[in-house]
Amino acid sequence: MQLFQVAPAPVGWALVLHGGAGGRVEELSLEEAGTYTEGLTAAYQAGAAVLAAGGSALDAVCATVEKLEDDPLFNAGRGAALTSEGTAELDACVMTGEGRAGAVAASQFARNPVHAARKVLEETPAVLLIAPTAERIAGWDLQTVTPDHFTTPARQQQLRRVQDGLLAGSRHGTVGAVAVDVHGRVAAATSTGGMVNQSEGRVGDTPIVGAGTYARDGVGAISCTGEGEAFIQGVVAHDVAARVRYLGVDLAQAITDTVTAELAPRGAMGGLIAVGADGSIVVAHNSPAMFAAYSDGDRLVTHT
């Protein structure tokens, strides 16, 4: 497993994001004019601007993930992977350190599923809503789109190649962000289009609180990417936080121990990003690569 750590920065806030574990998708790299580095940088800058102005961790992670959802290079929002039927079913979750969460699964009408997840948190008694309608999205004053907004030519080509046996289906596409603000509050947001060629109705770990997304003030926030079924069964995001909270170990050790205990025995690959209550940052993955961005105190670091 590769693991990167950054000590707390003197600015009093911290942000780290990921654009999925795995590697570049050939069809996207050839077709899109943008680059992964530019996409990660823009997303980081969106969230960092919120935090630098004294904004909340929740606002920051939502702003960050919104940028990644709008970038077709990443498997979330506009760049969502397609199901076996050629449709996009998007999942997202947000959680604050005070223990509140909201999530959507199989979303098809919200341009930015992360904002729909936040609406579930803020405006409903529910935690998880399945397939919110276009009318509900509009009623939340969010931008609606038709399902074909998400079926880009590059993702259609990717699906064809997977179904023809010319390409192995990626199991690692997700985006996410975690942050701690100047008030010491933490938050996490995760969004995904799922796995290429997945069955319609399949839901992974992203919208499952404690599996792919978790946050607790005084402990930290975690967002995961990888083989969702393993992350659900291992309750991976919560397991990391529990090790910090109850065993008193640091974030890096907690992540290492969780991967060893929950992912390795299942033969699962993926990655995690985490921010501690003190502003420390950890990026870890046991996959060949992982997209991520964070500041090391002197400069913006991007992993592509």
Side-chain angles (χ1 to χ4, degrees):
M1 184 176 72
Q2 297 188 59
L3 188 146
F4 306 87
Q5 300 181 67
V6 178
V11 293
W13 56 265
L15 170 71
V16 55
L17 64 93
H18 71 79
R24 296 170 183 254
V25 177
E26 181 181 352
E27 291 83 4
L28 305 187
S29 300
L30 292 174
E31 180 169 312
E32 301 299 334
T35 69
Y36 289 93
T37 299
E38 289 171 354
L40 295 171
T41 299
Y44 181 87
Q45 290 173 339
V50 173
L51 294 168
S56 72
L58 180 59
D59 285 345
V61 295
C62 288
T64 300
V65 170
E66 176 189 334
K67 286 289 188 182
L68 293 169
E69 288 179 338
D70 286 341
D71 189 331
L73 287 175
F74 301 99
N75 181 9
R78 176 70 169 147
L82 302 181
T83 70
S84 59
E85 299 302 314
T87 59
E89 296 183 345
L90 297 88
D91 306 331
C93 181
V94 298
M95 187 169 188
T96 67
E98 62 184 3
R100 301 182 63 224
V104 293
S107 175
Q108 293 186 303
F109 300 103
R111 176 187 173 100
N112 294 106
V114 70
H115 294 319
R118 182 170 180 170
K119 289 293 186 178
V120 174
L121 183 157
E122 295 178 334
E123 299 189 15
T124 80
V127 172
L128 173 61
L129 290 183
I130 306 298
T133 64
E135 291 75 19
R136 183 184 286 268
I137 300 300
W140 283 334
D141 292 325
L142 298 178
Q143 185 173 356
T144 62
V145 294
T146 56
D148 60 5
H149 170 79
F150 304 109
T151 55
T152 65
R155 287 297 185 183
Q156 291 173 323
Q157 181 181 349
Q158 181 191 35
L159 176 63
R160 286 193 298 269
R161 293 189 67 196
V162 169
Q163 293 180 333
D164 290 343
L166 302 176
L167 180 71
S170 171
R171 299 176 61 86
H172 311 113
T174 301
V175 307
V178 294
V180 58
D181 60 34
V182 294
H183 305 289
R185 299 170 299 197
V186 300
T190 315
S191 181
T192 188
M195 300 188 305
V196 183
N197 201 37
Q198 69 179 21
S199 298
E200 285 189 299
R202 179 260 180 189
V203 176
D205 63 304
T206 291
I208 308 301
V209 174
T213 310
Y214 191 74
R216 179 174 285 273
D217 287 338
V219 176
I222 302 98
S223 176
C224 305
T225 173
E227 299 181 32
E229 285 70 19
F231 281 79
I232 293 172
Q233 293 172 104
V235 200
V236 167
H238 180 268
D239 194 73
V240 171
R243 291 175 187 274
V244 174
R245 186 181 183 191
Y246 299 121
L247 299 181
V249 300
D250 62 28
L251 265 179
Q253 189 62 54
I255 289 173
T256 299
D257 293 345
T258 294
V259 170
T260 300
E262 301 297 343
L263 295 184
R266 294 181 169 92
M269 290 197 303
L272 303 86
I273 56 171
V275 63
D278 62 353
S280 57
I281 288 172
V282 178
V283 175
H285 61 94
N286 66 355
S287 54
M290 181 169 171
F291 299 117
Y294 54 88
S295 172
D296 66 0
D298 297 319
R299 63 187 178 90
L300 177 63
V301 178
T302 57
H303 295 198
T304 57

